[in-house]
Every structure is written in C-alpha cells, then in structure tokens.
Amino acid sequence: MYEGDVLGGNWRRPGRGKIPKVPAERDLVVEDADSGFCGAVVACDKEAVTLEDRFGKRRLFPLDPAAFLLDGKIVTLVRPAAATAETHRRSASGSIAVEGLRARVARQSRIYVEGVHDAALVERIWGHDLRVEGVVVEYLEGVDDLPEIVEEFAPEPGRRLGVLVDHLVPGSKESRIAARVTSPDVLVVGHPFIDIWQAVKPSSVGIPAWPDVPRGVPWKEGVIAALGWRMASADAWRRILGSVSSFADLEPELLGRVEELIDFVTEAP
C-alpha cells in the first residue's frame, strides 16, 4: 500500500512538486509508475535505466521526471555520478549495442504490424535489437482479416506470433477483432493512437500537439491540413520519421507494447 495520494503534488510536472531525485545505483529496487514493472537497477546511462525483476526479465525505461516509485513514493531517477565513465554504446531503443553485429538467423516467430509506417518506425528504433534476436517484422495492411491470418500462420510453441494493433481501445473495431484471437502462442497488443503517426511525440516533430480531426475526414489528410503542411501524405510521413532518432521521441504507450512483443516472441518455449 502506498502512503497518501501518489498522484498528488503535480508529480507529472517537473519543478511543480517536491519530487526527490534519486541516483539510479545498481541494485536499487524501484517500480515504473506507468507499467507497474518492478525491479532492481542493473544499468543506467544519461537517457535510460534498465530494471531486472525477480524472474530475471529486464526492461528499459527512459529517465523521465517523476516516473518511478521508491518505497511507494514518486521519485525522479537520475544517472549516478560514477556512471559518467560508462562507455557502452546504445542502440536507438536504449539497449546496449552489440558491436560488429551479424544478424542472427531468423526465428520462426514473427511480429506483425498493421502497415508500412508501423514497420518503418519499429525498424528505426528496434532494428538493432530485432537483428540481434533474429526477429522478422512484417506488415498486414490492416487487421480486418487477423483471425484468418493467425490461422494461416499456424502458431505453436517455438513459433509464436506477436501482433501490434493501432487504436486498440475498448469498444473499437480493432478490439473486437483482437478478441477473436485466442491462441496461447499469439499475443495481440496495441496502442491507443488512431494512427502510428501519433505515437511520435509532438515535441519531436516540432508541433504543439497532434490536431483533432473531425469524424468523416481521413485522419492523415486532416492532420496535414490542420498543421498547414502543404505536402502529400508520403512526404509528411518522411518528415515525421525523420524526426525520430531514439526511443525518447516516442510515446510510452508504444514503447512498452513493442518491448512486450519482443519479449513474447523471443521467450524460450
């Protein structure tokens, strides 16, 4: 049980609440406030901390302000002073880069995403990690036929399928389709965004926010018009993707789901 209201004190607004800064020393046990993942610190650099839970699973989290719980209280983790000498190179996802990487032979397991933009964004951030693990990402051009696609894939232990779905929220068409997939060797997860474009932080793109698009207006075209961009959808996407260089440019709702899929398809049967 936590003491008091953990959401009190403007804890999501740096500088507005009295949130203590705690060095992310090795073996410090904390909990990620968003996902609930609890583990001990095993690595930390200037952008991210790696936690390992009691089962040995490791997850990477950005060092965002007021993003962790320590003994039930909100804290901001900071890089320990002694860590400034760390020389490990990091991949775009924040994982330790494997030097001289030769891609592993592809696993039978796969990750499916909805469209080519989703695939490009996953490759931009997790491409290195996926090659280390031997995981291939393919795109579906929508999920309307997902149950049939899963059946054709024929998942089984050692041949798992992870699926990333756009706009997977209660009551949506996507949620009803996903509910029809029940195989224990398939994991369907999603983010709340209407389109993968929204998973890129507006600040990274250089806009104040993603605009609201009225019903009946194609979303991408509505966004381009509202932002005053005089360009085609393909050019707009190139501008958005070009603004992404690391996991820090993406929203946590996408980061967590992709990490979850990678864990699922690489887990030993």
Side-chain angles (χ1 to χ4, degrees):
M1 298 292 292
Y2 303 135
E3 296 179 6
D5 180 5
V6 298
L7 299 180
N10 291 322
W11 64 279
R12 279 299 192 190
R13 301 181 65 183
R16 295 295 298 275
K18 297 180 179 179
I19 308 300
K21 294 182 178 181
V22 178
E25 302 284 357
R26 189 174 182 86
D27 297 327
L28 177 73
V29 177
V30 294
E31 177 182 343
D32 174 60
D34 284 333
S35 69
F37 185 92
C38 183
V41 174
V42 294
C44 183
D45 64 14
K46 64 181 181 179
E47 293 183 332
V49 61
T50 301
L51 303 182
E52 180 178 292
D53 70 9
R54 61 193 180 94
F55 301 108
K57 178 178 286 188
R58 294 189 176 190
R59 293 279 298 275
L60 186 83
F61 299 95
L63 289 175
D64 291 337
F68 299 91
L69 294 169
L70 175 62
D71 296 328
K73 298 179 180 179
I74 292 292
V75 298
T76 294
L77 290 187
V78 296
R79 189 184 189 192
T84 56
E86 184 178 332
T87 58
H88 292 303
R89 188 172 67 86
R90 295 279 177 172
S91 70
S93 72
S95 63
I96 296 176
V98 178
E99 303 294 342
L101 170 68
R102 294 185 63 182
R104 174 176 173 167
V105 175
R107 298 171 183 262
Q108 293 187 61
S109 299
R110 292 286 188 272
I111 291 176
Y112 286 173
V113 297
E114 283 205 48
V116 65
H117 291 180
D118 306 67
L121 193 59
V122 169
E123 166 62 27
R124 173 65 59 94
I125 300 302
W126 289 276
H128 172 86
D129 308 55
L130 293 168
R131 284 184 283 279
V132 169
E133 297 290 353
V135 176
V136 174
V137 174
E138 301 178 10
Y139 65 91
L140 302 174
E141 297 184 348
V143 294
D144 288 352
D145 299 320
L146 182 60
E148 292 76 16
I149 291 170
V150 169
E151 183 178 359
E152 181 180 354
F153 181 82
E156 60 183 12
R159 181 181 166 81
R160 287 181 149 188
L161 179 61
V163 184
L164 180 68
V165 177
D166 296 343
H167 199 227
L168 191 62
V169 296
S172 68
K173 176 192 73 173
E174 292 82 0
S175 67
R176 292 191 292 271
I177 293 171
R180 294 165 54 196
V181 178
T182 58
S183 169
D185 296 304
V186 179
L187 176 64
V188 181
V189 300
H191 55 74
F193 309 115
I194 295 173
D195 189 276
I196 197 68
W197 290 16
Q198 284 185 302
V200 179
K201 291 181 177 177
S203 57
S204 297
V205 184
I207 59 177
W210 290 106
D212 292 327
V213 177
R215 285 183 176 274
V217 176
W219 192 84
K220 288 185 174 71
E221 287 77 2
V223 165
I224 292 170
L227 293 175
W229 292 354
R230 296 185 178 182
M231 60 182 71
S233 177
D235 295 323
W237 170 243
R238 280 192 285 271
R239 172 174 177 171
I240 294 165
L241 186 62
S243 70
V244 175
S245 60
S246 81
F247 71 94
D249 294 311
L250 302 183
E251 299 288 0
E253 293 91 339
L254 177 66
L255 292 172
R257 300 296 74 75
V258 175
E259 295 284 352
E260 189 177 354
L261 289 177
I262 295 174
D263 288 345
F264 179 78
V265 299
T266 58
E267 185 176 310

